[in-house]
Amino acid sequence: MLGKIEEVKKAIEAFQIENQQKLEEFRLAFLAKKGVITDLMAGLKEAAPDQRKAIGQALNDLKNFAWEKFDGIQSTMVSASDSVDAPDMNLPVQSLPLGSRHPLSIVRQQMIEIFEQMGFAMSDGPEIEDDWHNFSALNFPENHPARDMQDTFFVSKDPDVLLRTHTSTVQVRLMEKQKPPIRAIMPGRVYRNEAISARAHCLFHQIEGLYIDRNVGFKDLKQTLYHFVKEMFGPDQKIRFRPSFFPFTEPSAEIDISCLICNGAGCNICKYTGWVEIGGSGMVDTNVLKANGIDPEEFTGFAFGMGIERTTMLRYGIRDLRLFTENDVRFVSQFAGLS
Ligand code: DAH
């Protein structure tokens, strides 16, 4: 009997347990109710009485020996599986994906900074306006086509309430509350009743500028916009002033820069002229100064209005205005990291 116990002990020692399944096999073979050790225990009563004590002791040792092996291996297996689930504190942190600013916000900010460096303050006004601020105070004649329903979104008629068609409205609001000298820029959203295409949209953004003081001349307007264009598009950028007409300025000029998309070779953006318009400008009409309580004998001023979409398209070579409003993350994410 003792020889048999020794044999079983050797078998327990030799039993290789590499996984849960082997552990269970071990348990069934040695420790379970139908296992070898229980069998041996049952045989104890057949042993000679003078040997029973020694055999009983050896069986107990054998049982403890088997349990120790089982418990030891089971506990290492549990802690190993625990550590699989537990987070590994040594892993590098996963960085959060950073969003990007909308290109229009980026360029708007760049434009603001250039004018702020030249001493222009910021001002703003409402997007829902009345006839006076959008048209009459800006010297639009009664029958001007811009007052037409075809061009302007009206909220109501009589009295006229409308979505402003340009940021020039803020010039009027500023002159109402501030006496010259005035030197301000006014960025904002504007609305026009236009069919949406690659070149036009029913809502877009402008930056308006107004500078009124004693002895302000056309040369100041030219120098300011010249400086702006060089800062915005680089020192080699060409700018030209083309005579034009606006009800609120006299004389008036459109501001063109050489086309950055085709470098002057001609493309659909510059209508094959090599030049693109970025805004309008001029000397503030004396009628506008008078309508806003400023004496044109004492003060003169210049004004300008530029499209932010147009500037952004030229700055980053974007050929379709609709991309700005389509919320396509593949478009916007190209501007990641710019501010
Ligand atoms: N308000 C004009 C437009 O939306 C742009 C403009 C032209 C603004 C000349 C001005 C200006 O201040 O002097 O087309």
Side-chain angles (χ1 to χ4, degrees):
M1 184 82 170
L2 283 172
K4 176 85 178 138
I5 292 173
E6 199 48 40
E7 243 173 59
V8 173
K9 188 173 178 196
K10 288 214 171 87
I12 291 172
E13 250 169 2
F15 202 105
Q16 295 283 338
I17 304 172
E18 309 89 4
N19 52 36
Q20 282 289 347
Q21 196 191 328
K22 283 276 173 203
L23 187 67
E24 181 61 5
E25 280 173 22
F26 179 87
R27 192 186 69 80
L28 291 172
F30 300 104
L31 297 166
K33 273 210 176 101
K34 290 181 180 157
V36 183
I37 296 176
T38 323
D39 277 357
L40 289 174
M41 295 267 192
L44 186 60
K45 53 183 180 296
E46 277 141 42
D50 60 332
Q51 287 191 357
R52 253 182 229 164
K53 197 173 172 209
I55 294 172
Q57 185 64 46
L59 274 175
N60 253 340
D61 289 350
L62 181 70
K63 195 174 162 191
N64 288 342
F65 181 71
W67 273 113
E68 261 166 42
K69 176 161 177 155
F70 180 86
D71 285 345
I73 290 177
Q74 190 184 42
S75 70
T76 60
M77 279 188 181
V78 168
S79 63
S81 70
D82 265 3
S83 70
V84 167
D85 292 342
D88 182 348
M89 295 308 193
N90 294 315
L91 283 176
V93 183
Q94 262 184 12
S95 59
L96 288 173
L98 264 189
S100 47
R101 293 181 67 204
H102 193 281
L104 290 178
S105 302
I106 295 169
V107 170
R108 174 184 179 275
Q109 193 53 34
Q110 291 170 348
M111 295 173 91
I112 289 171
E113 275 165 25
I114 296 170
F115 285 110
E116 277 184 343
Q117 278 163 9
M118 287 190 272
F120 284 77
M122 286 269 281
S123 196
D124 65 7
E127 291 179 19
I128 299 175
E129 271 292 7
D130 49 27
D131 175 280
W132 172 256
H133 291 92
N134 202 78
F135 297 124
S136 298
L138 290 163
N139 200 34
F140 278 79
E142 208 45 62
N143 56 355
H144 194 281
R147 292 175 180 244
D148 202 324
M149 298 273 273
Q150 256 80 59
D151 293 311
T152 304
F153 289 117
F154 284 91
V155 177
S156 72
K157 276 283 203 185
D158 246 359
D160 284 347
V161 179
L162 48 91
L163 299 181
R164 67 180 177 193
T165 60
H166 53 182
T167 43
S168 305
T169 52
V170 193
Q171 288 188 33
V172 180
R173 297 217 163 252
L174 196 55
M175 287 186 263
E176 279 169 356
K177 62 177 187 210
Q178 190 186 328
K179 292 291 143 226
I182 296 172
R183 184 160 32 164
I185 47 163
M186 304 146 239
R189 183 176 291 171
V190 301
Y191 303 84
R192 281 186 205 171
N193 195 355
E194 294 214 37
I196 297 170
S197 71
R199 298 172 50 92
H201 210 290
C202 59
L203 72 86
F204 54 101
H205 301 80
Q206 292 184 327
I207 283 196
E208 193 79 11
L210 179 67
Y211 182 20
I212 301 177
D213 203 346
R214 293 184 179 87
N215 300 319
V216 175
F218 201 85
K219 63 181 189 312
D220 302 306
L221 167 64
K222 280 183 90 168
Q223 187 56 45
T224 302
L225 292 175
Y226 182 83
H227 179 74
F228 165 75
V229 166
K230 302 271 169 186
E231 286 288 305
M232 188 76 212
F233 298 105
D236 297 332
Q237 191 60 39
K238 293 198 200 74
I239 177 171
R240 77 176 183 189
F241 291 84
R242 191 163 32 84
S244 185
F245 173 80
F246 299 102
F248 34 92
T249 44
E250 181 59 35
S252 305
E254 249 145 343
I255 316 154
D256 291 349
I257 62 167
S258 46
C259 182
L260 286 130
I261 306 258
C262 65
N263 276 326
C267 67
N268 65 330
I269 297 294
C270 64
K271 294 189 202 142
Y272 302 94
T273 62
W275 293 92
V276 275
E277 182 201 318
I278 56 167
S281 65
M283 299 305 294
V284 181
D285 196 292
T286 50
N287 285 340
V288 174
L289 294 173
K290 277 190 244 163
N292 292 288
I294 296 173
D295 180 3
E297 297 296 328
E298 190 181 357
F299 293 105
T300 50
F302 69 73
F304 59 84
M306 283 186 288
I308 300 181
E309 274 80 357
R310 177 54 71 87
T311 311
T312 309
M313 289 169 91
L314 293 167
R315 180 81 174 70
Y316 293 116
I318 300 163
R319 283 166 178 269
D320 193 327
L321 195 73
R322 290 168 291 198
L323 286 166
F324 291 128
T325 43
E326 277 170 0
N327 265 349
D328 188 333
V329 82
R330 290 169 303 178
F331 170 67
V332 187
S333 62
Q334 294 176 57
F335 299 89
L338 295 175
S339 57

